[in-house]
C-alpha cells in the first residue's frame, strides 16, 4: 500500500489566507469595516487588499486545485495515463458530495420556512431548478441566466467550475498519453480563458462564471505539477520563483488602479497574472514544505488549520455571517463593536467547519471510499 503523503503546510497556509479573504469580503459587504475608526485610517489600497480580495482568493484556490489534483494523480498512479477513472471519481465525489448534498437539504428547508437571507425569488426561478442546478454542478450557468441567488447558493458557482475540471481531467489523462501533449492542450486552454471571461458573455455581470473562464487558473496549477520533476534541478533558484510569484500577487492584489488603467483587467489578464504568480509560489512551497514546522509560526499554523478546512468553511461560513450580522443589527451595536463581529465570525466559522469536517465530511468520505475502493484495492486517498 502506498503511504499517505504528508500535508504541505505552506499550501494549507495559502489556502487559509484565501478562505479568510472570502469571509472578510462577505462580512464587509454586509457591515463595512470602513465604518470603524481603524477603517477610516486605512489607506484605500490596504482596505481593498484586506476586505475586497475574496474574488481573487477563489482564483488562487483554482490554481491550487489544479496543482493538488494533478500532483495527487501522479503520486498515486505514477503516470497520468494510468489513472483509474472510477477511483478518481469516487474519491472526488466522496470529498465533495456529502457536504454539498447536506447543504442543499438545509438550504431547501430554510427556503421553505421563509427564513430571511435564504429565500429564493420565485419570480426568477423555482426551488426545484436551483436544487437540480446545484446537484448537477451548473448553478453557475443558471446564475448567468437569472442573476444572483441567495449567498449560500451563490458561492456554489466556483464548486461548479471545479466539478467541470474534475469531470474532464481523467479522460484527458487517458486520451493524451504524453505529458507534453497534455501541457500543450492546457496552454491552449490558458490562452482561451481570458477571452471566455470577457467576451463570451460581454454584457452579463456574471458572465465570467462560465466553465472556461478560469481554466487558465486551474491549468497553470496542472502544468506546475506536471513540471515539478523537471524543476528539481532548479531547486537552488526557487527563491527567484518566490520573488517573481509574490511580485505578481502584489501587482494584482495591491495595485488594482494600475491594472484597470493599463487595460489588464479589461482584457482579463489580471486573473492570468495572479494565477501565474500563484504557480511560481507553489514551486517554492513544493520544495520548502517543511518551513513552518517550527513552533514560533503559531499564527501561520492557525491559518493553515483554516486552509485544511477551507472546503467546509467555504460552504458553511455564510450561516455564521448571516446570524451574527442579524444579531449585530438587531441590538444596534456601536460601530466599534465591528471588530468583535469580525473576529467572532472568523472564529465561529472555523469552529463550525471543524465539527462539520469531524462529524460529517470525514466519516461520510471514508465510508464511501471504504465501500467503493478500499475493499476492492487499497490505495492512498486524494486527501487534499
Amino acid at each position: 500500500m502506498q503511504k499517505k503523503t504528508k500535508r504541505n503546510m505552506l499550501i494549507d497556509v495559502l489556502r487559509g489566507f484565501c478562505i479568510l479573504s472570502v469571509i472578510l469580503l462577505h462580512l464587509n459587504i454586509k457591515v463595512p469595516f470602513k465604518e470603524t475608526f481603524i477603517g477610516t485610517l486605512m489607506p484605500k489600497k490596504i482596505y481593498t487588499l484586506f476586505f475586497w480580495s475574496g474574488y481573487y482568493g477563489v482564483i488562487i484556490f483554482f490554481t491550487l486545485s489544479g496543482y493538488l489534483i494533478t500532483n495527487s494523480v501522479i503520486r498515486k498512479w505514477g503516470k497520468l495515463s494510468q489513472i483509474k477513472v472510477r477511483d478518481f471519481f469516487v474519491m472526488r465525489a466522496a470529498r465533495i458530495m456529502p457536504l454539498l448534498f447536506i447543504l442543499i437539504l438545509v438550504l431547501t428547508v430554510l427556503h421553505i420556512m421563509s427564513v430571511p437571507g435564504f429565500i429564493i425569488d420565485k419570480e426568477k426561478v423555482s426551488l426545484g431548478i436551483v436544487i437540480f442546478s446545484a446537484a448537477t454542478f451548473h448553478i453557475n450557468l443558471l446564475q448567468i441566466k437569472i442573476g444572483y441567488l441567495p449567498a449560500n447558493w451563490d458561492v456554489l458557482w466556483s464548486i461548479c467550475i471545479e466539478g467541470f475540471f474534475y469531470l474532464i481531467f481523467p479522460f484527458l489523462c487517458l486520451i493524451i498519453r504524453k505529458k507534453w501533449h497534455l501541457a500543450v492542450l492546457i496552454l491552449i486552454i490558458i490562452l482561451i480563458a481570458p477571452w471566455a471571461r470577457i467576451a463570451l458573455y460581454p454584457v452579463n455581470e456574471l458572465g465570467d462564471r462560465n466553465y472556461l473562464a478560469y481554466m487558465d487558473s486551474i491549468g497553470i496549477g496542472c502544468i506546475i505539477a506536471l513540471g515539478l520533476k523537471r524543476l528539481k534541478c532548479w531547486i537552488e533558484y526557487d527563491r527567484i520563483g518566490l520573488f517573481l510569484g509574490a511580485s505578481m500577487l502584489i501587482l494584482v492584489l495591491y495595485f488594482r488602479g494600475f491594472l484597470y488603467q493599463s487595460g489588464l483587467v479589461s482584457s482579463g489578464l489580471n486573473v492570468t497574472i495572479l494565477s501565474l504568480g500563484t504557480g511560481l509560489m507553489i514551486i517554492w512551497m513544493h520544495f520548502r514544505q517543511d518551513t513552518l514546522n517550527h513552533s514560533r509560526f503559531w499564527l501561520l499554523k492557525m491559518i493553515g488549520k483554516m486552509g485544511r478546512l477551507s472546503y467546509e468553511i467555504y460552504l458553511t461560513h455564510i450561516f455564521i455571517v448571516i446570524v451574527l450580522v442579524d444579531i449585530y443589527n438587531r441590538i444596534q451595536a456601536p460601530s466599534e463593536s465591528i471588530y468583535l463581529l469580525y473576529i467572532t465570525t472568523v472564529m465561529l466559522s472555523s469552529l463550525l467547519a471543524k465539527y462539520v469536517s469531524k462529524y460529517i465530511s470525514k466519516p461520510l468520505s471514508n465510508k464511501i471510499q471504504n465501500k467503493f475502493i478500499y475493499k476492492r484495492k487499497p490505495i492512498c486517498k486524494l486527501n487534499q
Side-chain angles (χ1 to χ4, degrees):
M1 180 186 294
Q2 190 175 355
K3 292 183 179 180
K4 186 176 178 179
T5 303
K6 182 172 62 176
R7 294 189 69 97
N8 188 320
M9 294 179 63
L10 288 169
I11 294 290
D12 284 336
V13 168
L14 183 55
R15 293 203 294 188
F17 278 117
C18 290
I19 197 61
L20 181 60
S21 72
V22 172
I23 296 173
L24 294 179
L25 169 66
H26 290 149
L27 262 176
N28 190 55
I29 290 172
K30 294 182 176 295
V31 183
F33 193 83
K34 198 71 175 177
E35 296 177 359
T36 66
F37 175 72
I38 295 177
T40 59
L41 295 179
M42 275 186 173
K44 184 179 179 179
K45 289 182 178 180
I46 298 295
Y47 176 73
T48 302
L49 174 65
F50 280 102
F51 299 103
W52 290 106
S53 294
Y55 166 73
Y56 288 125
V58 172
I59 292 169
I60 293 174
F61 271 127
F62 286 147
T63 306
L64 290 172
S65 180
Y67 159 76
L68 289 170
I69 294 302
T70 306
N71 192 49
S72 294
V73 169
I74 293 172
R75 192 174 66 240
K76 289 165 179 55
W77 289 291
K79 295 180 180 180
L80 295 180
S81 59
Q82 294 178 347
I83 187 173
K84 304 297 183 183
V85 176
R86 178 185 180 277
D87 291 352
F88 178 87
F89 283 150
V90 169
M91 287 185 281
R92 287 292 85 203
R95 177 69 181 104
I96 295 172
M97 301 307 286
L99 182 56
L100 177 62
F101 282 161
I102 290 172
L103 175 70
I104 292 173
L105 176 61
V106 172
L107 294 179
T108 299
V109 173
L110 292 174
H111 168 81
I112 294 172
M113 295 175 63
S114 298
V115 178
F118 300 94
I119 304 171
I120 296 169
D121 186 350
K122 295 180 181 179
E123 294 184 359
K124 294 198 305 183
V125 65
S126 68
L127 173 63
I129 291 177
V130 174
I131 292 173
F132 178 74
S133 300
T136 55
F137 295 95
H138 71 278
I139 204 169
N140 55 326
L141 300 183
L142 177 65
Q143 287 190 296
I144 291 174
K145 181 178 179 180
I146 68 166
Y148 287 101
L149 290 167
N152 278 89
W153 295 100
D154 178 70
V155 298
L156 297 180
W157 73 270
S158 64
I159 305 298
C160 294
I161 291 176
E162 290 214 15
F164 177 74
F165 163 63
Y166 300 148
L167 177 64
I168 64 173
F169 180 73
F171 295 111
L172 290 178
C173 291
L174 291 179
I175 295 171
I176 303 174
R177 294 285 177 170
K178 294 184 179 181
K179 284 186 179 181
W180 74 269
H181 289 166
L182 181 60
V184 169
L185 176 60
I186 292 173
L187 285 172
I188 293 172
I189 295 173
I190 289 173
L191 294 175
I192 294 174
W195 170 83
R197 281 193 291 274
I198 302 302
L200 197 55
Y201 297 91
V203 295
N204 193 312
E205 182 184 4
L206 301 179
D208 64 344
R209 295 186 175 186
N210 65 83
Y211 290 121
L212 292 177
Y214 299 97
M215 286 300 126
D216 55 344
S217 301
I218 297 175
I220 287 169
C222 294
I223 287 179
I224 294 299
L226 290 172
L228 279 174
K229 289 185 177 181
R230 296 179 181 274
L231 291 170
K232 282 185 177 180
C233 60
W234 293 91
I235 188 171
E236 296 181 2
Y237 307 99
D238 62 348
R239 291 185 180 180
I240 298 176
L242 173 63
F243 173 77
L244 291 175
S247 299
M248 290 181 179
L249 263 66
I250 292 170
L251 173 63
V252 175
L253 297 175
Y254 189 76
F255 295 101
R256 301 187 193 185
F258 168 77
L259 291 177
Y260 276 99
Q261 294 172 6
S262 64
L264 289 172
V265 173
S266 61
S267 64
L269 292 177
N270 59 322
V271 170
T272 307
I273 293 172
L274 180 67
S275 301
L276 283 171
T278 303
L280 289 171
M281 293 188 68
I282 288 173
I283 296 172
W284 178 81
M285 292 176 178
H286 180 84
F287 293 119
R288 308 283 178 173
Q289 56 185 290
D290 295 326
T291 302
L292 294 182
N293 283 341
H294 200 283
S295 60
R296 71 174 180 271
F297 293 106
W298 62 270
L299 180 59
L300 291 181
K301 287 184 177 181
M302 288 179 60
I303 295 175
K305 290 180 180 179
M306 291 182 65
R308 290 193 289 275
L309 296 168
S310 57
Y311 178 64
E312 285 77 14
I313 293 176
Y314 187 73
L315 290 192
T316 62
H317 74 280
I318 296 292
F319 292 108
I320 302 296
V321 170
I322 290 176
V323 170
L324 292 188
V325 168
D326 181 65
I327 294 173
Y328 173 85
N329 290 330
R330 285 177 182 273
I331 65 176
Q332 297 181 341
S335 61
E336 298 309 309
S337 63
I338 291 179
Y339 307 135
L340 180 61
L341 171 65
Y342 273 65
I343 294 172
T344 304
T345 301
V346 173
M347 292 178 63
L348 289 182
S349 296
S350 300
L351 188 63
L352 174 61
K354 176 182 177 180
Y355 287 106
V356 167
S357 175
K358 182 177 180 180
Y359 294 109
I360 298 177
S361 296
K362 286 185 177 179
L364 291 178
S365 177
N366 290 337
K367 187 174 182 179
I368 292 170
Q369 294 189 66
N370 287 336
K371 181 176 182 179
F372 292 100
I373 298 179
Y374 301 128
K375 284 185 178 180
R376 184 168 50 86
K377 182 179 179 181
I379 60 173
C380 181
K381 299 179 184 179
L382 273 170
N383 57 19
Q384 295 196 74

